[in-house]
Amino acid sequence: MQVVGLFIKPQAGQPVQPQATLQLQQLTGIQGDSHAQVGSPRQVLILDLPTLQAFGLKLGDLRENIVLDDGLARLRSGQGLQIGQAFIRITFRCEPCAYLDSLQAGLIKRIGKQRGWLGMVVRDGTIAIGDTATLLPAQFPPMPDDAKSRFYEFVATIPPGKVVTTKDLILALGVTSAHYRVIPSFIKRAATSLPVHRVVAIDGSLLTKHLPHQAVLLSAEGITLEADRVSSHDYWQPIHFHR
């Protein structure tokens, strides 16, 4: 596989800008791109030329970062993609969004799961158009495409004595802020073995409406509450997400 296009999106919601090279930063993403954020599983969007051509699209139309000459169908969650010295962990398929129908009527429905693959940067490196991209065997845990499954898998990894705010949860799941409203339903449907009591509100306050015994469970793990809030000292930091 070979790189045939590179783009960055300096501001969310804006068109991408073509680049001759991209600087990838470990754990963070693409330098200068609006999706560069520690802890996010959607730091890079990868597409290939045949997919764009199949839907009558030009390079950059889907706000992708890296376009390959071929091979998108071979990518799987958990695999690694090496381009030069840079190394990308493939996470999950990018979901269609309303923007697509502004390109072509009905594109959301037609494109389905061919929107591209998302990834995280696990090793620094500069990549350029013309570079060879090598797909490596799976070496990371795969991530589900749906947000609910990612929620359950991620919550299971929150260590005892730490909490994750709903803001950081949105980041870790790689979803939009619209998902704040479904978090309570995810909590309600969680298996009793999952430590959902380690999820707190944006300001660290408890979610007692959905987790009536949350204070007791957190106290048992050594977390001290102040005015029914968890101190930021006990927040699990995004640098540890998806490690």
Side-chain angles (χ1 to χ4, degrees):
M1 297 181 290
Q2 191 173 45
V3 177
V4 296
L6 295 171
F7 301 87
I8 63 169
K9 184 167 58 176
Q11 295 184 18
Q14 297 299 312
V16 292
Q17 298 178 1
Q19 305 289 310
T21 63
L22 292 180
Q23 180 63 47
L24 274 59
Q25 297 177 306
Q26 183 180 17
L27 302 179
T28 303
I30 301 170
Q31 185 175 354
D33 190 82
S34 61
H35 282 107
Q37 194 167 5
V38 174
S40 171
R42 55 185 313 135
Q43 297 168 353
V44 183
L45 177 57
I46 305 165
L47 276 163
D48 69 0
L49 205 52
T51 298
L52 292 170
Q53 293 171 340
F55 294 99
L57 299 168
K58 304 185 300 295
L59 271 73
D61 275 353
L62 294 182
R63 296 176 176 171
E64 68 274 12
N65 300 115
I66 300 172
V67 184
L68 305 174
D69 60 347
D70 203 351
L72 196 71
R74 303 207 310 270
L75 269 61
R76 297 291 183 272
S77 181
Q79 290 180 309
L81 185 68
Q82 182 163 346
I83 306 176
Q85 294 300 311
F87 193 82
I88 300 167
R89 170 186 176 179
I90 306 301
T91 54
F92 52 87
R93 292 183 181 91
C94 186
E95 67 284 356
C97 61
Y99 161 72
L100 299 189
D101 276 358
S102 70
L103 293 174
Q104 297 176 13
L107 183 57
I108 291 177
K109 183 176 181 179
R110 287 187 290 111
I111 204 165
K113 292 187 176 183
Q114 300 179 74
R115 174 73 171 82
W117 279 94
L118 294 160
M120 303 175 65
V121 179
V122 295
R123 188 166 66 220
D124 293 345
T126 300
I127 64 176
I129 292 177
D131 281 353
T132 297
T134 303
L135 184 61
L136 303 176
Q139 51 189 297
F140 304 97
M143 292 187 185
D145 287 335
D146 67 293
K148 182 170 71 172
S149 296
R150 292 202 300 274
F151 170 85
Y152 294 139
E153 289 193 359
F154 176 75
V155 168
T157 68
I158 304 173
K162 293 294 180 182
V163 299
V164 171
T165 67
T166 49
K167 179 180 179 180
D168 281 345
L169 183 61
I170 292 294
L171 169 70
L173 299 183
V175 295
T176 66
S177 57
H179 282 75
Y180 277 117
R181 59 185 173 80
V182 300
I183 289 176
S185 66
F186 290 171
I187 290 174
K188 182 178 180 180
R189 293 178 172 83
T192 55
S193 59
L194 276 179
V196 289
H197 63 279
R198 296 173 191 157
V199 177
V200 296
I202 293 176
D203 61 355
S205 58
L206 302 186
L207 303 176
T208 50
K209 179 179 178 180
H210 313 291
L211 298 165
H213 305 297
Q214 187 173 24
V216 173
L217 293 170
L218 291 177
S219 296
E221 295 181 358
I223 294 178
T224 301
L225 302 176
E226 299 178 4
D228 290 328
R229 280 184 170 81
V230 177
S231 167
S232 59
H233 175 75
D234 294 316
Y235 290 2
W236 198 33
Q237 297 303 313
I239 194 171
H240 301 299
F241 298 171
H242 312 301
R243 295 296 292 271

